[in-house]
Every structure is written in C-alpha cells, then in structure tokens.
Amino acid sequence: MNGKVALVTGGSRGIGAATAVRLAQEGADVAITYVRAKEAAEDVVRRIEALGRRALALCADAGDAAEAAGVVDRAVEALGRLDVLVNNAGVGLLGPLESLSLADVDRVLAVNVRGVFVTSQVAAPRMARGGRIITIGSCMTQRVPGPGGTLYATSKSALAGLTKALARELGGRGITANLVHPGPVDTDMNPADGPYAPAQAGATAVGRYGSPEEVASMVAYLARREAAYVTGAELSVDGGHAA
Ligand SMILES: NC(=O)c1ccc[n+]([C@@H]2O[C@H](COP(=O)([O-])OP(=O)(O)OC[C@H]3O[C@@H](n4cnc5c(N)ncnc54)[C@H](OP(=O)(O)O)[C@@H]3O)[C@@H](O)[C@H]2O)c1
C-alpha cells in the first residue's frame, strides 16, 4: 500500500487503532479520528510515524454530520489523497427496549449510521480507481444471542444495505465497498473480562474473544489490490458466532 492514504474513523483505540497501525505496516499513510481520547490518538500517530509513515489525528464527532463530512477534506488536505476509508467509529448501547430513550435512538443512529453514510458520501468522489470503503458492522446483524440488542442491532444492520448499494453505485469506478462483522472483540467497548464476557465467548464456535488485530487483518486484506473482486460483501471475523 505504499503511496496510499487511509482514513480510519475512531482510530484512537480498539479495532480502529489496530487497523490504523496495520494499514501503516502495509505502507499506507493514515489519518485517524477520535472524539475524546486525544492522548490515545496521539499515541497511535506516534506508532504509525515510527513505522516511517505519515499520520494525523483529527478530532471529529461521527455523530455530527458536518464533522463526519469534514474529516475527509481535512485528511486529503494533509495527506494529499484518499484511497481507503475505514468506517469504524461506533457506539454500543445495549439495554432493554423500554429503557432506550428517543435521544439514545437518535445518538446511536447518528454515529453508527448517519456518520458512516455522510463520510462515505464525501469520500467516494475523492477516490480514484482502486478505492476502498470498508465498514465495521457487528456479528449482531447476523445473530442476536440474547436480549438488549434492539438499538445496536438496528443500527449495524442498516450498514448492510448501505454497503451493497455503495458497491453497486461505485463498482463501475473500480471502488469496492465491504462490511466486516466482528464477533466479541477485546476492547474498551467490550472487555474480555467484563460481566457479559463468558456468555459472549460461549456464543462463538471457538469459545473465546477475538483480538483487534484479528479484525484489522481482514480490513487490510480488503484494502489491498488483490481484493478488487470482493465487493458488496459481508465478511465475518467472529469466531463462528454466526455459525
Ligand atoms: N468490541 C467488540 O466486541 C465489537 C464487536 C462488533 C462490532 N464492533 C464495532 O467495532 C467498532 C470499534 O469498536 P471497539 O470495540 O474498537 O470500540 P472502542 O474500543 O470503544 O473504540 C471506539 C473508537 O471509536 C471512537 N468513537 C466513539 N464514538 C465516536 C464518535 N462519536 N465520533 C468519532 N469517533 C468515535 C473512539 O474514540 P475516543 O477514543 O475518542 O472515544 C474510539 O477510537 C465499532 O463500530 C463497534 O460497534 C465492536
């Protein structure tokens, strides 16, 4: 990926941070976004720069439509082009149906769906042939293993329709769009030593949590030239959660 530029939303921690570093290891310059964890974002920038690549951390709330749209031009301005967009920023709000407020619904849909839509909408015209839009969904779009997932599963399921439609719209320009569904992955959002971890690990075929690097590996594959014939696909990295 030498000479390519990637933008990873929510790249300060967890799956996004691992993805940003992995793309840099493959040769890309990388812009990441964050919303709160400035120090963690700067640490990711330092890790990428130590690999000899350029890096940039942009504070931008994916739930704010103007900020979600603006990150693309900020990244292009600083790094010169855009080849790979990884829509990773997301919020996980679980809870009984009756506990979810309208504000909860609006916030989760704004970050997990509208932010992905808007950033992709601005990014696609900036990409040349070979461009890649890779979105992080969730295993909960394919199997909801217990109660409490109504809002989160709704938001992540919307990304399947968006990804397929993007693939159809951009295929003629040589740009692919794919959706990666992680299973339970050990991050701040879903720690492998959390109270719900044993049930989640038990819902996989392999009986364990995944690592952020295991998801980043799939994203890196989709970003490469060799994945040019993979588009509109939903790819699970879920330890068999959907099996
Ligand atoms: N972990 C899992 O088990 C799992 C499973 C399936 C899917 N996923 C999905 O994978 C993605 C990454 O999850 P993760 O587990 O790595 O989460 P995480 O550890 O909580 O990290 C979330 C990242 O997204 C950023 N972020 C959160 N809200 C944002 C917003 N409004 N605007 C911009 N950035 C925002 C955070 O930035 P700050 O550091 O500034 O807060 C952070 O970099 C999410 O889309 C999540 O739904 C995770």
Side-chain angles (χ1 to χ4, degrees):
M1 294 187 66
N2 286 340
K4 298 275 175 82
V5 170
L7 168 62
V8 181
T9 66
S12 50
R13 296 181 288 114
I15 292 168
T19 298
V21 171
R22 176 63 190 263
L23 294 175
Q25 285 168 341
E26 303 228 351
D29 295 328
V30 186
I32 62 168
T33 72
Y34 68 96
V35 68
R36 283 173 301 268
K38 188 169 192 288
E39 279 184 21
E42 286 169 353
D43 185 53
V44 172
V45 166
R46 279 191 291 274
R47 288 169 64 195
I48 292 171
E49 287 174 343
L51 293 164
R53 309 312 321 175
R54 292 182 298 159
L56 175 74
L58 301 166
C59 182
D61 181 357
D64 179 301
E67 291 186 23
V71 288
V72 173
D73 284 340
R74 291 166 73 190
V76 171
E77 202 173 296
L79 299 176
R81 54 187 287 148
L82 181 65
D83 302 281
V84 179
L85 169 64
V86 183
N87 289 306
N88 165 78
V91 285
L93 183 56
L94 304 177
L97 183 60
E98 60 276 16
S99 73
L100 299 165
S101 67
L102 195 53
D104 292 334
V105 175
D106 287 347
R107 177 68 184 163
V108 171
L109 294 181
V111 175
N112 290 5
V113 183
R114 190 181 64 182
V116 175
F117 187 98
V118 167
T119 307
S120 302
Q121 188 179 36
V122 179
R126 306 282 191 279
M127 288 180 176
R129 188 160 279 275
R132 301 279 186 265
I133 298 177
I134 302 158
T135 301
I136 305 301
S138 168
C139 60
M140 294 230 332
T141 65
Q142 302 186 312
R143 178 171 171 241
V144 180
T150 52
L151 178 52
Y152 184 68
T154 298
S155 71
K156 290 295 187 178
S157 296
L159 302 174
L162 173 58
T163 298
K164 288 178 168 62
L166 282 173
R168 288 286 177 186
E169 196 148 329
L170 302 174
R173 289 181 46 214
I175 297 170
T176 66
N178 290 292
L179 184 59
V180 174
H181 293 311
V185 173
D186 185 16
T187 66
D188 295 339
M189 181 188 284
N190 187 9
D193 58 0
Y196 307 110
Q200 290 185 63
T204 68
V206 299
R208 68 165 175 88
Y209 266 50
S211 70
E213 289 74 20
E214 286 175 310
V215 180
S217 171
M218 175 65 85
V219 176
Y221 164 68
L222 292 169
R224 283 190 220 125
R225 191 172 307 163
E226 67 183 307
Y229 203 55
V230 182
T231 194
E234 296 178 57
L235 301 119
S236 295
V237 184
D238 67 353
H241 188 273

